[in-house]
């Protein structure tokens, strides 16, 4: 394992482990991205996957929001699509459309096209980016690694890109349930090794994004989503017991109670969930993260401050990591991100004195 500069701000890690702290830690999903002029400047000369695959550029972009705002964490600049690429599929980032697979997995026969990847060879660029970023952060804040959850990756690999209903991917669950499980198992193995590799390279916390968990009903969730999410957590936890694990299962309201029984330390909520109700369901089984509606950042600063205060009050002062309910959007005003972060700092300290 490489050695790194000592961590000066460990608020995020301590809160994720369930400790009580003097302030609520704060970071934002997609905090590095197109809303930042300094990110757009880099993207003028380099395409998306070039930034992801060049450790110097990935490190620079990861640190941009940390330079600008008093955040409590940095998330490595990469994409969940690096795992389908490692499995042998081609992914293109089409402007305005997001990730696109020219040749998605159309039928179970297409599983023969997948490879059993050598993780270091296929994903070593992410590990290099993590190690470099850890050094360049100089211990300012912890570095978060991440991966897509098996189901969300399957949804993209079968559908071929973004979609409203993901009917092709969901059809597989009914037409080809055994092939779907085979695909999910193979993806799970890669995700587990990839996450453990990220820790060895320098990641101090890990988040698993199941952005399309909400497409399931309770039955398909239990069969095709939850077991793989659960397995990712238990296998990574046994390899890296000291690293907090976060799960973001977007729109999966019915799953909250079950998620609290997994090895994830933190459950990240989207904005449709009520903080108090979520706390009631989860109790002390997990720390909660979230969940301001990203569109609240379009409000004028005074109104935005009130929305942030309301959210913080709903979660209460402890066992909460402030974040958005989903990612920053390209037309967000960076100054409103600052209002979000500053309000968490001010209010969460004040909440502890009353
Ligand atoms: O700052 C960070 O949060 C780290 C970087 C990060 C990116 N993607 C960079 C990115 C993270 C954590 C992701 C995860 C990711 N990627 C998810 C899970 C989180 C979620 O949003 O639900 C998903 C579903 C993807 C797939 C993906 N990548 C989509 C749907 C898109 C298009 C989105 C858009 O707004 O156009 C991407 C592209 C992408 N990934 C961008 C960034 C900054 C924008 C691409 C660009 O610079 O042109």
């Amino acid at each position: 394992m490489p050695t790194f500069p000592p961590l000066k701000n460990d608020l995020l890690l301590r809160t994720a482990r369930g400790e009580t702290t003097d302030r609520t830690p704060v970071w934002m999903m997609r905090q590095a991205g197109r809303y930042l002029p300094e990110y757009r400047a880099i993207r003028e000369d380099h395409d998306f996957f070039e930034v992801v695959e060049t450790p110097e550029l990935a490190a620079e972009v990861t640190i941009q929001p940390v330079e600008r705002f008093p955040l409590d964490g940095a998330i490595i600049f990469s994409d969940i699509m690096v795992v389908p690429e490692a499995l042998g599929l081609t992914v293109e980032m089409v402007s305005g459309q997001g990730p696109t697979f020219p040749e998605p997995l159309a039928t179970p026969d297409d599983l023969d096209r997948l490879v059993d990847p050598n993780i270091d060879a296929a994903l070593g660029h992410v590990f290099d980016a993590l190690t470099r970023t850890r050094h360049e952060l100089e211990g300012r804040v912890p570095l978060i690694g991440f991966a897509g959850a098996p189901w969300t990756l399957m949804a993209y690999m079968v559908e071929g890109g973004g979609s409203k209903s993901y009917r092709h991917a969901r059809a597989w669950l009914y037409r080809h349930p055994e092939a779907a499980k085979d695909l999910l198992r193979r993806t799970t193995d890669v995700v587990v090794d990839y996450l453990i590799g990220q820790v060895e390279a320098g990641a101090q916390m890990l988040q698993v994004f199941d952005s399309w968990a909400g497409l399931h009903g309770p039955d398909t969730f239990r069969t095709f989503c939850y077991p793989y999410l659960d397995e990712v957590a238990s296998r990574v936890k046994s390899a890296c017991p000291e690293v907090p694990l976060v799960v973001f299962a977007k729109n999966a309201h019915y799953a909250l109670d079950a998620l609290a029984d997994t090895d994830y330390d933190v459950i990240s909520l989207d904005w449709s969930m009520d903080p108090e109700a979520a706390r009631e369901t989860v109790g002390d089984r997990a720390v909660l993260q979230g969940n301001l509606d990203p569109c609240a950042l379009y409000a004028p600063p005074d109104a935005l401050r009130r929305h942030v205060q309301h959210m913080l009050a709903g979660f209460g002062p402890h066992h909460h990591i402030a974040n958005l309910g989903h990612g920053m959007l390209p037309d967000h005003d960076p100054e409103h991100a600052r209002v979000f972060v500053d309000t968490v700092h001010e209010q969460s300290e004040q909440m502890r004195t009353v």
Side-chain angles (χ1 to χ4, degrees):
M1 277 265 257
T3 48
F4 297 110
L7 192 54
K8 295 170 204 149
N9 171 359
D10 63 355
L11 204 58
L12 178 64
L13 301 184
R14 286 194 289 123
T15 301
R17 292 191 184 112
E19 295 176 31
T20 55
T21 53
D22 295 341
R23 176 170 70 68
T24 300
V26 55
W27 67 282
M28 297 172 292
M29 289 194 260
R30 293 276 176 97
Q31 62 190 21
R34 285 164 295 181
Y35 77 103
L36 290 177
E38 54 271 36
Y39 173 81
R40 294 197 298 271
I42 293 217
R43 286 279 281 104
E44 265 176 33
D45 300 326
H46 308 281
D47 75 26
F48 177 75
F49 280 116
E50 189 187 343
V51 181
V52 168
E53 286 162 15
T54 311
E56 296 76 10
L57 293 175
E60 182 177 345
V61 168
T62 300
I63 296 173
Q64 282 176 345
V66 176
E67 299 271 354
R68 203 185 243 266
F69 310 117
L71 293 160
D72 296 300
I75 180 160
I76 190 67
F77 189 82
S78 183
D79 201 83
I80 63 168
M81 296 305 159
V82 297
V83 165
E85 284 190 317
L87 282 163
L89 299 179
T90 301
V91 187
E92 290 161 4
M93 200 55 78
V94 180
S95 173
Q97 229 179 299
T100 305
F101 293 69
E103 293 176 285
L105 301 174
T107 70
D109 286 345
D110 287 328
L111 295 183
D112 293 342
R113 287 177 17 223
L114 298 183
V115 298
D116 203 0
N118 172 324
I119 301 287
D120 284 327
L123 294 162
H125 59 85
V126 183
F127 301 151
D128 291 345
L130 282 157
T131 305
R132 173 178 275 268
T133 306
R134 250 315 267 286
H135 284 294
E136 290 184 13
L137 276 170
E138 295 172 329
R140 276 173 282 181
V141 291
L143 179 57
I144 306 165
F146 70 89
W151 157 250
T152 287
L153 295 177
M154 174 183 165
Y156 278 106
M157 289 189 278
V158 172
E159 202 74 20
S163 146
K164 266 205 185 106
S165 67
Y166 282 86
R167 67 192 172 90
H168 298 291
R170 292 198 299 119
W172 263 51
L173 308 180
Y174 297 96
R175 273 190 194 138
H176 318 297
E178 289 313 313
K181 286 180 191 165
D182 185 25
L183 174 58
L184 289 162
R185 255 192 306 268
R186 292 176 70 172
T187 308
T188 299
D189 287 341
V190 176
V191 166
V192 167
D193 289 345
Y194 178 46
L195 288 170
I196 295 169
Q198 291 187 52
V199 172
E200 287 165 356
Q204 293 157 290
M205 179 164 120
L206 296 169
Q207 178 153 324
V208 177
F209 285 96
D210 214 347
S211 305
W212 295 115
L215 291 173
H216 289 287
D219 288 340
T220 58
F221 178 78
R222 264 195 296 276
T223 310
F224 298 102
C225 192
Y226 181 82
Y228 304 94
L229 260 184
D230 184 34
E231 185 178 332
V232 167
S234 57
R235 286 169 62 186
V236 174
K237 201 64 177 177
S238 64
C240 320
E242 75 292 353
V243 175
L245 302 181
V246 186
V247 60
F248 176 59
K250 188 164 179 285
N251 279 332
H253 297 246
Y254 51 83
L256 191 56
D257 183 53
L259 288 173
D261 282 332
T262 61
D263 279 335
Y264 292 100
D265 304 278
V266 181
I267 301 175
S268 196
L269 305 178
D270 64 76
W271 68 93
S272 65
M273 298 211 199
D274 176 60
E276 285 170 75
R279 185 71 88 195
E280 173 104 17
T281 303
V282 170
D284 61 5
R285 291 178 291 164
V287 167
L288 298 177
Q289 174 174 277
N291 76 340
L292 190 75
D293 183 349
C295 289
L297 265 66
Y298 294 120
D302 279 347
L304 171 56
R305 270 185 212 101
R306 285 196 299 278
H307 292 301
V308 181
Q309 281 170 17
H310 181 72
M311 172 194 78
L312 291 169
F315 283 104
H318 297 297
H319 310 301
H320 175 222
I321 297 167
N323 204 319
L324 305 176
H326 202 187
M328 289 294 296
L329 294 163
D331 63 347
H332 274 145
D333 179 343
E335 283 313 302
H336 288 217
R338 185 185 305 287
V339 171
F340 171 68
V341 175
D342 286 347
T343 307
V344 174
H345 278 250
E346 291 153 16
Q347 284 299 312
S348 74
E349 277 176 27
Q350 209 171 315
M351 279 164 73
R352 282 159 171 79
T353 59
V354 289

